[in-house]
């Protein structure tokens, strides 16, 4: 009798252990457990930790609540300004309602992926090429709204959508490169012309100042000579302006002990001195000729 009781107790204990092992479930911190009892959804979603279900009656499905990073395959489309491009993106989303993610959609990951691809094609067709290249933040927001609207009913929340890359045809790349080069050339010419205008104005002011002070022009000439000599050139051509000669001539005439002479008087005096020298040379030649004739007689 005792043995039968012991055997029965052991059988009950074994059955209880088997039942406990079949009913025991562990839900991780980032998961939620959705329980179906005889195919019907239980309202209470099991939280993280240890939990029990009815074996062979209840079935529990675990749903991950972590943020999922899903790459969107590159989609080829034609922009609003008739340019063929290939655009790829990445979607960040997470499950906020585990029951809806299991019941409302068969595979929420596949559904979000297909919705992201179709929305990306729609964005490409509605946008210009310049928007895809330079105004991506606005396009990302529009793409996020397009995906998030149907995903709310699936218990999924779109956290962020980013356009990763925009691939252009080679011909379009070359055209854009030529356009950018032409724009840079235009800006360079405008800047150069502006610099020439400013330099001409400054040179005009400098010329006006030097016209009032001739000595400033000579000082500038000497500075230019010093700058050129610093280059260690083998040949140096130095122009000697007439103004410098006149300046030196006036400085010599104004020396102490000599009366200042005007420029016109100086020229006439020099011409008279030259004429007198020629007359003296002619007279000396005649005198020498007469002496030689007398000696021969």
């Amino acid at each position: 009798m005792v043995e039968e009781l012991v055997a029965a107790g052991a059988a009950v204990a074994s059955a209880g252990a088997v039942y406990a092992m079949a009913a025991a479930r562990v839900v991780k911190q980032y998961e939620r457990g959705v329980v179906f009892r005889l195919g019907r959804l239980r309202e209470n979603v099991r939280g993280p930790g240890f939990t029990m279900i009815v074996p062979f009656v209840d079935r529990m499905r675990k749903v991950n609540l972590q943020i999922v990073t899903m790459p969107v395959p590159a989609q080829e489309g034609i922009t609003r300004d008739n340019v063929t491009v290939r655009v790829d993106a990445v979607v960040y989303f997470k499950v906020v309602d585990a029951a809806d993610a299991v019941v409302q959609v068969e595979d929420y990951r596949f559904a979000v992926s297909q919705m992201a691809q179709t929305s990306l094609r729609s964005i490409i067709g509605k946008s210009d090429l310049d928007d895809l290249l330079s105004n991506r933040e606005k396009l990302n927001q529009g793409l996020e709204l397009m995906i998030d609207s149907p995903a709310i009913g699936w218990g999924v929340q779109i956290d962020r959508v980013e356009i990763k890359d925009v691939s252009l045809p080679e011909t379009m790349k070359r055209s854009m490169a030529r356009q950018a080069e032409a724009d840079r050339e235009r800006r360079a010419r405008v800047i150069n012309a502006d610099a020439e205008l400013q330099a001409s104005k400054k040179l005009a002011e400098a010329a006006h100042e030097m016209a009032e002070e001739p000595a400033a022009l000579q000082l500038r000439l000497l500075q230019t000579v010093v700058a050129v000599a610093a280059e260690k050139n083998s040949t140096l051509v130095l122009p000697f302006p007439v103004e410098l000669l006149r300046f030196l001539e006036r400085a010599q005439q104004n020396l102490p002990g000599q009366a200042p002479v005007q420029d016109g008087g100086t020229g006439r005096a020099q011409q008279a001195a030259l004429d007198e020298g020629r007359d003296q040379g002619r007279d000396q030649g005649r005198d020498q000729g007469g002496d030689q004739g007398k000696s021969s007689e």
Side-chain angles (χ1 to χ4, degrees), residues 7 10 29 31 84 89 110 151 180 192 200 215 247:
Q29 181 66 37
E31 294 177 338
T84 302
F110 181 74
N192 189 19
S200 63
F247 175 77

Side-chain angles (χ1 to χ4, degrees), residues 79 85 87 127-134 136 139 163 166:
T79 61
V85 295
V87 182
S127 304
D128 294 332
L129 179 60
D130 293 338
D131 294 335
L132 289 175
L133 296 177
S134 61
R136 292 189 181 182
L139 297 180
I163 296 177
V166 178

Side-chain angles (χ1 to χ4, degrees), residues 31-297:
E31 294 177 338
R32 294 296 183 269
V34 180
V35 179
F36 293 90
R37 177 166 294 177
L38 297 177
R40 294 178 63 86
L41 176 67
R42 300 288 295 177
E43 295 182 358
N44 296 329
V45 178
R46 306 298 173 87
F50 180 79
T51 185
M52 298 287 290
I53 62 173
V54 179
F56 309 109
V57 177
D58 293 345
R59 294 187 62 184
M60 186 175 70
R61 183 174 175 179
K62 298 178 182 179
V63 180
N64 194 331
L65 301 184
Q66 291 177 313
I67 295 179
V68 180
T69 303
M70 176 179 294
V72 181
Q75 302 296 313
E76 185 172 353
I78 301 177
T79 61
R80 190 167 58 183
D81 50 354
N82 298 325
V83 179
T84 302
V85 295
R86 288 177 60 88
V87 182
D88 57 351
V90 59
V91 181
Y92 301 90
F93 67 93
K94 63 181 178 180
V95 177
V96 293
D97 193 333
D100 289 341
V102 175
V103 176
Q104 299 297 331
V105 63
E106 180 181 2
D107 186 353
Y108 66 89
R109 290 174 179 264
F110 181 74
V112 171
S113 176
Q114 295 300 312
M115 180 58 65
Q117 294 181 31
T118 56
S119 300
L120 184 58
R121 284 179 175 271
S122 178
I123 285 292
I124 293 174
K126 295 178 181 179
S127 304
D128 294 332
L129 179 60
D130 293 338
D131 294 335
L132 289 175
L133 296 177
S134 61
N135 197 12
R136 292 189 181 182
E137 189 66 27
K138 183 179 179 180
L139 297 180
N140 292 337
Q141 295 176 1
L143 189 58
E144 179 180 348
L145 292 175
M146 294 179 65
I147 302 175
D148 191 47
S149 298
I152 293 177
W154 304 336
V156 178
Q157 177 182 353
I158 304 300
D159 187 68
R160 192 172 184 181
V161 182
E162 291 287 344
I163 296 177
K164 290 197 303 183
D165 188 24
V166 178
S167 300
L168 301 175
E170 292 298 329
T171 55
M172 180 59 63
K173 290 181 180 179
R174 290 193 293 269
S175 299
M176 294 177 66
R178 290 196 299 269
Q179 180 183 0
E181 184 178 359
D183 184 66
R184 288 193 296 268
E185 183 69 19
R186 178 185 62 82
R187 286 184 291 177
R189 290 184 178 181
V190 170
I191 293 174
N192 189 19
D194 190 16
E196 291 292 340
L197 177 60
Q198 295 180 7
S200 63
K201 291 181 179 179
K202 294 298 181 181
L203 288 175
E205 295 178 2
H208 180 71
E209 294 293 333
M210 290 181 180
E212 296 180 356
E213 294 291 338
L217 182 61
Q218 310 306 325
L219 294 177
R220 183 57 184 168
L221 175 62
L222 296 177
Q223 291 177 358
T224 304
V225 171
V226 172
V228 173
E231 299 294 333
K232 298 181 180 179
N233 294 327
S234 58
T235 303
L236 179 62
V237 178
L238 179 61
F240 202 75
V242 180
E243 289 79 2
L244 182 59
L245 293 175
R246 293 178 179 176
F247 175 77
L248 296 176
E249 184 179 0
R250 286 196 298 269
Q252 183 177 5
Q253 292 174 358
N254 293 330
L255 290 177
Q258 295 183 3
V261 182
Q262 299 296 331
D263 291 342
T266 302
R268 289 193 296 271
Q270 290 179 353
Q271 186 65 30
L274 291 175
D275 295 339
E276 184 179 357
R278 284 197 299 270
D279 295 338
Q280 290 179 358
R282 192 181 301 110
D283 295 339
Q284 290 178 0
R286 287 197 300 269
D287 294 342
Q288 291 178 357
D291 293 342
Q292 291 179 359
K294 292 178 181 180
S295 59
S296 61
E297 291 177 357

